[in-house]
Amino acid sequence: MEINSRLIRKIKFIYGDEEYMKDINFSNIIERSIKIRENYHKLENQYHGKEWTVEEDALAFLTDAGLVGRLTMAQQNRWPQGGDTVDDLEHKLSECIWWLIVLADRMDIDISTSLDDFLSKLQN
């Protein structure tokens, strides 16, 4: 139980005590993502004396993207995996989206406009 209570405290530190509605818009997702990353920066400063660089964030994203590949193989019964693959896959897919939002923000890219432009090009 100690692990669960520590995890709950960490989640509350990162996400806050706010209850979020299930039906949210992309602007809200971006705002929440940036706020969460700011809280992680506090932890990085506390434990390592400085925030991660953009390059370190990119490496963390790539690590999670690799795990999406492995979990996809497991979900498709092409790689042995114990546990609940669907929950793990949902988590890592969402985490990758979060990382992309964070990276865009840190590199001064408006991800909403960029994504809209990209989708428009694909539709035409």
Side-chain angles (χ1 to χ4, degrees), residues 61-84:
F61 161 69
L62 290 173
T63 300
D64 288 331
L67 290 171
V68 167
R70 182 55 54 90
L71 289 166
T72 299
M73 290 177 67
Q75 194 260 352
Q76 296 295 310
N77 297 314
R78 302 296 291 162
W79 184 265
Q81 169 90 11
D84 189 348

Side-chain angles (χ1 to χ4, degrees), residues 13-15 30-46 50-52 57 98-99 101-102 105-106:
F13 173 79
I14 294 168
Y15 294 98
I30 292 170
E31 182 181 314
R32 288 171 58 196
S33 295
I34 293 167
K35 181 178 178 183
I36 290 165
R37 188 66 189 106
E38 288 170 357
N39 285 332
Y40 273 112
H41 283 314
K42 291 175 188 174
L43 287 175
E44 292 157 7
N45 279 317
Q46 179 181 346
K50 63 181 181 174
E51 297 175 2
W52 279 11
D57 281 357
W98 175 75
W99 274 120
I101 291 168
V102 166
D105 179 66
R106 293 197 71 193

